Amino acid sequence: MGTSVGNTTDGRSEANRVLIFDTTLRDGEQSPGISLNRAEKLEIAHQLARLGVDIIEAGFPIASPGDFESVQAIAREVEGPIICGLARTSKLDIDAAWNAIKDSQRPRIHTFISTSDIHIEHQLQSTREDVEGQARAAVAHAKEYLDDVEFSPMDATRADAEFTAGVIQIALDEGATTINIPDTVGYTMPHEYEAFLARLYELVPDLRGVTLSVHCHDDLGLAVANSFAGVRAGARQVECSVNGIGERAGNASLEEIVMLLRTRRADVRLDTEVTSTELARTSRLVSRLTGYPVAPNKAIVGRNAFAHESGIHQDGVLKERTTYEIMDATTVGLQSNSIVLGKHSGRHALRNALEEMGFEIDGQALNTAFKRFKEIADLKKQVTAMDLEALVTDELRSEDIGGYTLHSFEVEASSQRPPHARVSVNLPEGGTASGSFTGDGPIDAVFQAINAATGVAAKLSEFTIGAVTEGQDALGEVSIVLEVDGFTGAGQSVSTDIIDAAARAYVRALSVSVARARVGEQPLGLPETAAP
Ligand code: KIV
Ligand code: ZN
């Protein structure tokens, strides 16, 4: 039964360990505009393993060949957590999920079907009897492959409790080892969710023998509160995502759940095995690779989550930190800027620093990182761990993308006339191409000049600009999402020059979109209508 836990006489789990099921790479990746490639997903999965999550939902293998390959690569390479693949109830879905995850040391299949009448009638255009049959067949088929099978009655919180309980019983009879209760549309309230789970425990006594899981969406801003209510009702697995990314308003935020349980451990008597000092770094990585910025006031990982603006607060914290801080920033890995290199640091020092941060790079990748490090160290007095992290996530990824790279650019900007840019781009087939454009602003001119050089009519859909650290000589960081013929791609870059960072990020995003458009593969291009 793997992840199931012990129980009290009233049917509730008594183990004080809450399993963290991370769905950043599946539900999170379904956020509009996010499209991670295989290398990026692998990088996030390795970081999730370092963070110490229990389960990684690596993707939805039937959704596209790219999704399948990413889940397979994660299953083959990432050690530690259970690697889970999502599947609808069809045999094809379950076969795809199994084939993608079977090389993991700890594979799991997560299968789901809706139990709410609104979904059954309008989306599945089916009947309750059919849903029961599909749930039974799906779990039974998955069990032919492996022991660890999770079942979710989708939209459960808007479904009839008795019917949902019946479907759960069927899944249990077929051997499901985790039952997850999704609040798919983020509709429920904490007291209702707690009562709903309590009712399910009453209706399905066999739930006591398996792990109960919660999966809450944030449409009303209640995902974390609802997840916590679920834990209070006995759930011992929380499905969540880094920075709370996910469908629509997103999922419960992993860092908030983890720090809620850790900070209030004495009262709730529950905790996770997550290494909390990795939270900030994981958040930054996910934000960089997805192009989804983290709000400055976001709990736990926002830039201002530990900043004190008012004089009274500053005064209090200086006298005694706990006057206005319930957590220490170092416990979530903020302010972990201990590594400092300078322009005289050599390749060896860079490699050691990167190793200390968990990046093992050698050969050409180290050469590339070193070249960029030197460029930056020449312009910046101190290169910190945060700078290195941004640089390495930026540089290493570009190796895998292939496609176009920026050769050089020139921009003329003045308050007297519209800015003009000339760019030169290295082509994937060799050689360079040039383009120029007079745009609305210097960055717009560069982007349009890149379009002219490559002959690709890319459309910008997201543009985020920020600074990696504080101070005037901070590295600028740009994330871009753009669209080519309906295919989206994201790109990021860092540089001491923000136009340079923007141009590099744009060329990367363009390369990803063009590659996608060529293969004709859009993430989550599901064959049928029932995307979760
Ligand atoms: O929100 C949802 O219902 C889901 C299921 C697939 C668990 O994501
Ligand atoms: Zn979901």
Side-chain angles (χ1 to χ4, degrees):
M1 208 168 288
T3 53
S4 64
V5 291
N7 300 288
T8 57
T9 43
D10 68 354
R12 303 202 176 177
S13 168
E14 67 182 359
N16 61 2
R17 163 107 185 260
V18 174
L19 301 170
I20 291 295
F21 176 113
D22 178 89
T23 188
T24 307
L25 295 172
R26 200 279 297 168
D27 219 320
E29 223 252 347
Q30 287 172 221
S31 313
I34 294 186
S35 52
L36 299 165
N37 64 30
R38 182 165 61 152
E40 291 166 339
K41 287 184 186 172
L42 258 173
E43 201 177 328
I44 291 176
H46 278 297
Q47 178 56 27
L48 290 171
R50 210 175 287 133
L51 177 66
V53 306
D54 299 283
I55 302 110
I56 295 175
E57 189 165 49
F60 193 7
I62 193 82
S64 71
D67 235 45
F68 180 93
E69 283 164 18
S70 301
V71 177
Q72 188 174 55
I74 291 169
R76 287 181 176 165
E77 270 192 38
V78 178
E79 287 174 15
I82 291 171
I83 306 298
C84 175
L86 184 69
R88 289 166 299 183
T89 47
S90 80
K91 205 167 170 299
L92 275 181
D93 273 49
I94 290 167
D95 291 345
W98 169 243
N99 284 319
I101 57 161
K102 66 182 177 198
D103 293 334
S104 164
Q105 285 166 353
R106 306 175 70 201
R108 173 181 294 186
I109 291 178
H110 175 192
T111 184
F112 69 96
I113 189 161
S114 296
T115 55
S116 70
D117 290 328
I118 187 166
H119 277 205
I120 296 174
E121 201 181 312
H122 298 290
Q123 184 177 21
L124 301 176
Q125 298 181 337
S126 183
T127 60
R128 285 186 173 194
E129 293 67 40
D130 180 53
V131 165
E132 286 168 345
Q134 287 201 46
R136 184 183 301 285
V139 177
H141 186 47
K143 287 297 277 195
E144 288 169 13
Y145 290 127
L146 78 176
D147 184 46
D148 191 347
V149 175
E150 172 170 334
F151 174 76
S152 292
M154 186 151 91
D155 203 22
T157 52
R158 292 194 300 168
D160 177 53
E162 275 71 17
F163 174 65
T164 302
V167 176
I168 290 171
Q169 185 62 59
I170 289 171
L172 291 173
D173 290 344
E174 297 304 325
T177 45
T178 298
I179 297 292
N180 175 49
I181 308 299
D183 181 32
T184 302
V185 291
Y187 181 69
T188 201
M189 292 184 278
H191 65 283
E192 280 177 348
Y193 195 48
E194 193 170 343
F196 186 67
L197 298 188
R199 178 83 183 119
L200 291 178
Y201 268 122
E202 267 168 34
L203 292 169
V204 191
D206 289 349
L207 260 183
R208 294 165 192 179
V210 300
T211 303
L212 183 66
S213 167
V214 289
H215 176 113
C216 299
H217 280 271
D218 208 30
D219 299 66
L220 293 173
L222 289 172
V224 170
N226 283 333
S227 303
F228 183 59
V231 167
R232 281 169 49 88
R236 288 297 175 267
Q237 174 178 291
V238 176
E239 303 201 355
C240 47
S241 63
V242 176
N243 299 335
I245 60 172
E247 276 283 356
R248 307 179 309 279
N251 289 70
S253 138
L254 179 149
E255 52 281 359
E256 292 176 23
I257 286 286
V258 166
M259 289 313 289
L260 165 61
L261 298 180
R262 183 87 23 108
T263 308
R264 302 303 306 271
R265 187 170 35 186
D267 302 292
V268 297
R269 294 169 193 276
L270 295 166
D271 203 353
T272 69
E273 297 273 292
V274 163
T275 306
S276 65
T277 46
E278 290 290 330
L279 284 171
R281 178 168 162 196
T282 313
S283 160
R284 288 194 297 265
L285 178 69
V286 169
S287 171
R288 254 180 210 129
L289 298 191
T290 56
Y292 263 47
V294 173
N297 62 333
K298 161 88 174 62
I300 316 297
V301 291
R303 198 175 56 239
N304 295 344
F306 293 86
H308 301 278
E309 184 66 22
S310 100
I312 296 176
H313 288 209
Q314 287 173 352
D315 177 57
V317 169
L318 286 173
K319 287 177 175 144
E320 164 55 41
R321 189 188 58 75
T322 54
T323 50
Y324 288 96
E325 279 187 5
I326 59 164
M327 294 167 276
D328 185 337
T330 57
T331 60
V332 303
L334 284 168
Q335 301 176 351
S336 62
N337 238 354
S338 52
I339 297 170
V340 179
L341 299 179
K343 67 177 179 182
H344 299 300
S345 307
R347 199 179 299 259
H348 198 64
L350 176 68
R351 198 177 53 191
N352 283 352
L354 291 173
E355 260 172 28
E356 213 176 294
M357 295 166 63
F359 298 107
E360 287 191 14
I361 63 168
D362 255 313
Q364 188 47 42
L366 180 61
N367 291 343
T368 315
F370 188 62
K371 188 166 161 274
R372 288 278 281 139
F373 160 71
K374 279 290 180 191
E375 283 165 15
I376 283 163
D378 269 344
L379 298 164
K380 218 175 164 285
K381 266 194 249 89
Q382 296 190 322
V383 180
T384 66
M386 296 259 276
D387 294 325
L388 287 180
E389 183 188 297
L391 186 73
V392 167
T393 37
D394 168 14
E395 274 315 308
L396 293 191
R397 257 173 301 117
S398 60
E399 305 247 302
D400 299 302
I401 297 171
Y404 303 96
T405 53
L406 182 73
H407 180 267
S408 59
F409 71 90
E410 266 178 66
V411 194
E412 291 153 24
S414 134
S415 56
Q416 308 302 318
R417 54 185 182 280
H420 183 73
R422 277 180 297 281
V423 302
S424 173
V425 174
N426 299 315
L427 302 172
E429 61 274 22
T432 56
S434 306
S436 59
F437 200 84
T438 302
D440 289 336
I443 291 186
D444 176 54
V446 169
F447 291 172
Q448 300 296 344
I450 292 169
N451 281 3
T454 55
V456 178
K459 275 193 261 142
L460 186 67
S461 38
E462 306 272 344
F463 177 70
T464 318
I465 191 164
V468 175
T469 51
E470 283 159 14
Q472 281 221 311
D473 68 347
L475 283 181
E477 175 166 31
V478 174
S479 290
I480 279 176
V481 179
L482 49 75
E483 203 191 299
V484 174
D485 296 337
F487 292 86
T488 52
Q492 306 76 31
S493 191
V494 291
S495 173
T496 48
D497 174 345
I498 210 67
I499 300 184
D500 182 48
R504 288 173 191 262
Y506 191 90
V507 172
R508 262 173 218 162
L510 185 138
S511 299
V512 173
S513 314
V514 167
R516 283 224 161 99
R518 216 165 270 146
V519 182
E521 177 200 309
Q522 190 63 305
L524 295 180
L526 290 172
E528 292 158 39
T529 53

